[in-house]
Amino acid sequence: MGFASLTNLWTLIFPLTVVVYYLFRKRFEPKTISSTLFWEEDRREESVSPFIRNLQRNALFYLQLLALLLFVWMLLGPSIKQTQTEGIPLVFIVDSSATMLATPKDSTLFEMNQREMKNLLESAEGRPVSIVITGKEPEFAIQNSDSQSAIQAIEGLSVRYEHNYLDTSIELVKSMYSEHGAEVHIFTDALERTALMYEGTTMSWHVHTNDQKLNNHSIVRFGANRREEGVVAIVKLQHDTEKAQPGTIQLKEAGTEKVLAEETFKGEPGSEELISFKKIETNASALQVELVGTDDYRADNTSHALLTTERAKVVVDATLHELLKKAAQAIQEEVTIDNGEHFDEDAILRITGSEGFLQKGKRPILLIGREDAKPIEAKGEVSVTNDPLFSIAAPKDMYVEEIYPPFADYEVLARVGKDPLIQRSPRGDIILLADLEATDWPLQPTFPLFVWSVVKSLADDAETLGVFTPLQRKSVVMTEAVDIYELSGSYLYTTESANTLQAPAIPGIYKATDGTTDKFLAVQLDPSEKSVATGDSYSTGKLATTDVKKEQKVPVIWPFLLPLLLLLLIEWEVQRRRGYPY
């Protein structure tokens, strides 16, 4: 026998306290003698049975002490070790990616896999069953449970559209079951044998794949831009078929699904096609294209795009601080270091030290310092407002030696003491009223994060959060945790934080709102999910045993609980009859 909580030995102080109390209490023994006639008889009776009379007088003390000792014993968590034999664990790795929606027959690959898993469970009575759902972060739908619970879990599974990342799920299962062994079944469309290079003898692997060729037309790429002459959209198609299967492509408004244009495609086997739509008039914020034709895999027949202007190129003034250039190059692939004179003002995000650019172009700039004013001494600590620019990192510990006079009627985002430090113009320009050489900000980790926030909000379209793949996590610039809605207005969920957003599982256009700002995001299939692979099913690995011996500790608290309750009942009765001992 062992004990689970030896640290509870300190509770022995309670029965010791009771002992000390009974040893040092005042003792009074009231006795009523009716007459001297019975005095001699009472003395004779006491001398005949002193032990019984002493037990009667101190019954409550002994009962309390025994109850406390029994309670301490239970607190120590007594347990005994038991060894039992159970069947080898049965593990299912279930591919939940979009390709499992392919329909080679009358049902999808996912539904066929569900039926096969249920058939395997018919002969798995008494074996612990686990189900792993694939994904970038694989998770257990059920772990080491019985067959009936596993069947219910299988019926509740659904396709999550995310890329399967099978190697991650395989490594997870290896790490958990390689010591004691397991029988693993993988359900996917195709898996190379090299992915299961396993030399141990404690695990067997059984791969269940799709062995039927499918006819598939897929939208490989879809993009749209709004220009002066109207919306321009381009669609790239891939035809993986055995014979020509013509069809049509429809351009629609996302949400209303109003058809804006329609084009036909030839659908030649193994070919690619580019279809363009020009001068489309629409005020929609997002578009979708839909492929209409004969197809065995429809998940890639729809694609979505946000209608945004082209992303601005970042141009950093060559005279600015070297660490500013490094920060911009670290967060943006295309950064130009020069005066930017040969660029169109409306096509670039300018980071400069000249306030003259505040009056040029239509796109906001990031201004560092001023040329038309002299700096003055800065006094006080830096404080910031609740603005999205500071949602990831705020420069609260920044030291500022000198600052420039502020611009009149500009919004103040940060201050040094009572003086403005960072401002925003009505056009959206961000102005830092200090030279970087007069601060220690470039040496702090918050500086590149601030530059990232500015570039993200000024170079990108302010009304969008970009394109995601299903369940992808990205950093975003929002003031607080956002609510995610479908375009129809249906609420889906709320993100965990203001700076990180996990996309919904199903492709489409969604709206994110933080209470003050609404932004759109597009969810597109991962490129790897645009085609369905075929492969042979196979088995590899060999189990050294079909049973596993497990040693577990069984607590033995319950057998002592009934005697404890009985003792408490007896104490109550003794106290009721005799009262407290004196």
Side-chain angles (χ1 to χ4, degrees):
M1 178 178 290
F3 298 93
S5 304
L6 285 175
T7 53
N8 287 329
L9 277 172
W10 66 270
T11 54
L12 284 171
I13 191 173
F14 296 115
L16 290 176
T17 303
V18 174
V19 173
V20 171
Y21 167 74
Y22 273 91
L23 288 176
F24 293 95
R25 78 186 193 283
K26 290 183 178 180
R27 292 175 174 81
F28 300 95
E29 187 177 349
K31 179 177 290 189
T32 302
I33 304 298
S34 58
S35 67
T36 57
L37 178 64
F38 303 105
W39 177 263
E40 185 177 350
E41 182 179 350
D42 182 76
R43 294 287 298 171
R44 190 182 306 112
E45 180 180 347
E46 182 176 350
S47 61
V48 170
S49 55
F51 177 75
I52 295 177
R53 291 181 61 84
N54 182 66
L55 182 63
Q56 289 175 342
R57 283 197 304 269
N58 298 285
L60 188 60
F61 163 69
Y62 295 126
L63 289 172
Q64 289 176 340
L65 185 61
L66 185 58
L68 282 172
L69 289 173
L70 190 58
F71 183 68
V72 171
W73 176 267
M74 292 173 62
L75 286 178
L76 294 179
S79 61
I80 57 175
K81 293 183 178 180
Q82 287 186 353
T83 301
Q84 62 181 15
T85 302
E86 64 179 23
I88 200 76
L90 182 62
V91 182
F92 295 148
I93 300 179
V94 184
D95 186 347
S96 64
S97 62
T99 54
M100 292 296 100
L101 291 174
T103 312
K105 296 180 180 179
D106 296 331
S107 56
T108 64
L109 292 175
F110 196 78
E111 292 169 343
M112 294 166 60
N113 291 338
Q114 286 177 304
R115 288 196 295 268
E116 192 165 356
M117 283 187 281
K118 291 180 181 179
N119 292 335
L120 289 171
L121 288 175
E122 292 179 357
S123 59
E125 191 66 33
R127 299 173 63 182
V129 182
S130 300
I131 301 175
V132 179
I133 310 300
T134 63
K136 194 170 185 178
E137 299 175 1
E139 61 183 54
F140 281 91
I142 198 169
Q143 187 174 8
N144 296 331
S145 187
D146 57 90
S147 300
Q148 192 60 39
S149 300
I151 291 176
Q152 295 177 0
I154 291 171
E155 292 174 349
L157 297 178
S158 61
V159 174
R160 305 197 301 182
Y161 291 85
E162 184 185 16
H163 180 62
N164 56 43
Y165 298 98
L166 265 174
D167 54 342
T168 305
S169 300
I170 291 172
E171 291 301 321
L172 172 65
V173 172
K174 284 182 180 179
S175 64
M176 296 189 66
Y177 294 96
S178 59
E179 182 178 355
H180 299 292
E183 179 183 334
V184 185
H185 292 261
I186 302 175
F187 298 88
T188 184
D189 51 354
L191 183 64
E192 297 291 336
R193 290 179 179 267
T194 54
L196 292 175
M197 297 180 64
Y198 182 74
E199 299 178 355
T201 59
T202 60
M203 301 181 72
S204 65
W205 303 85
H206 308 272
V207 181
H208 308 262
T209 61
N210 168 45
D211 59 357
Q212 298 188 36
K213 182 68 176 178
L214 295 134
N215 292 317
N216 181 34
H217 302 281
S218 62
I219 300 174
V220 178
R221 190 171 292 107
F222 170 50
N225 281 322
R226 192 187 298 277
R227 298 180 180 176
E228 293 182 0
E229 65 274 14
V231 173
V232 176
I234 297 179
V235 184
K236 183 179 180 180
L237 304 179
Q238 172 70 42
H239 307 294
D240 187 11
T241 60
E242 295 181 351
K243 60 181 181 179
Q245 294 179 344
T248 60
I249 284 287
Q250 294 180 346
L251 180 66
K252 301 179 179 180
E253 291 183 351
T256 64
E257 296 195 1
K258 175 185 176 182
V259 178
L260 301 173
E262 184 173 305
E263 296 286 344
T264 61
F265 63 84
K266 298 178 181 179
E268 295 293 335
S271 66
E272 293 183 350
E273 286 187 64
L274 285 176
I275 297 177
S276 61
F277 298 91
K278 298 179 180 178
K279 298 181 180 180
I280 304 298
E281 296 183 1
T282 178
N283 294 322
S285 57
L287 298 179
Q288 72 179 51
V289 287
E290 186 174 337
L291 187 151
V292 181
T294 304
D295 205 345
D296 293 330
Y297 176 45
R298 298 186 177 277
D300 61 352
N301 288 1
T302 304
S303 188
H304 302 80
L306 298 168
L307 276 177
T308 63
T309 56
E310 294 183 0
R311 187 173 186 177
K313 188 172 184 178
V314 179
V315 177
V316 182
D317 196 326
T319 61
L320 292 178
H321 198 287
E322 191 65 30
L323 289 178
L324 173 63
K325 304 173 189 176
K326 297 293 185 183
Q329 290 173 333
I331 63 175
Q332 189 84 356
E333 293 181 359
E334 296 185 5
V335 175
T336 301
I337 310 295
D338 65 11
N339 56 15
E341 292 182 355
H342 59 286
F343 287 100
D344 180 5
E345 286 294 333
D346 295 337
I348 64 173
L349 166 61
R350 186 182 292 276
I351 302 178
T352 181
S354 176
E355 63 272 20
F357 290 103
L358 291 172
Q359 311 302 326
K360 296 181 180 180
K362 298 179 180 179
R363 182 177 289 276
I365 68 169
L366 172 59
L367 176 62
I368 309 291
R370 297 185 63 174
E371 292 180 338
D372 62 347
K374 292 184 178 181
I376 59 175
E377 183 182 358
K379 297 180 180 179
E381 297 181 353
V382 175
S383 60
V384 300
T385 60
N386 185 25
D387 191 86
L389 286 179
F390 310 125
S391 62
I392 296 180
K396 294 183 178 179
D397 298 327
M398 169 185 173
Y399 167 74
V400 183
E401 184 180 10
E402 295 178 330
I403 59 172
Y404 289 99
F407 291 89
D409 301 326
Y410 280 18
E411 180 186 4
V412 178
L413 305 180
R415 296 179 182 271
V416 178
K418 297 182 179 180
D419 298 320
L421 174 64
I422 300 176
Q423 291 185 288
R424 179 187 285 121
S425 73
R427 188 179 71 169
D429 306 281
I430 304 298
I431 301 102
L432 173 63
L433 296 169
D435 294 323
L436 290 178
E437 292 82 354
T439 73
D440 64 345
W441 199 12
L443 302 177
Q444 297 184 14
T446 58
F447 178 69
L449 295 175
F450 171 78
V451 177
W452 177 85
S453 297
V454 172
V455 172
K456 190 74 175 174
S457 60
L458 299 184
D460 294 350
D461 193 314
E463 296 182 353
T464 68
L465 294 174
V467 179
F468 293 71
T469 56
L471 298 178
Q472 181 184 11
R473 293 180 184 270
K474 277 188 180 182
S475 296
V476 296
V477 180
M478 300 292 279
T479 56
E480 57 187 36
V482 298
D483 298 326
I484 305 298
Y485 293 87
E486 294 179 343
L487 284 185
S488 61
S490 300
Y491 169 80
L492 295 179
Y493 59 91
T494 300
T495 60
E496 297 177 357
S497 68
N499 304 323
T500 303
L501 186 150
Q502 184 177 25
I506 301 176
I509 301 294
Y510 298 89
K511 183 175 69 174
T513 177
D514 60 3
T516 58
T517 306
D518 293 341
K519 294 188 178 184
F520 294 98
L521 63 142
V523 180
Q524 300 278 37
L525 279 182
D526 190 278
S528 62
E529 300 300 310
K530 298 296 181 69
S531 61
V532 183
T534 59
D536 296 328
S537 300
Y538 60 90
S539 298
T540 184
K542 186 178 180 180
L543 292 173
T545 179
T546 57
D547 295 322
V548 175
K549 289 185 177 180
K550 293 184 65 177
E551 189 178 80
Q552 61 179 3
K553 293 181 178 180
V554 180
V556 289
I557 294 178
W558 291 107
F560 300 98
L561 183 59
L562 187 60
L564 178 62
L565 294 175
L566 183 62
L567 282 174
L568 293 176
L569 182 62
I570 297 174
E571 283 183 19
W572 176 82
E573 179 64 18
V574 170
Q575 184 172 319
R576 186 183 70 83
R577 288 174 176 269
R578 301 181 60 87
Y580 288 100
Y582 295 101

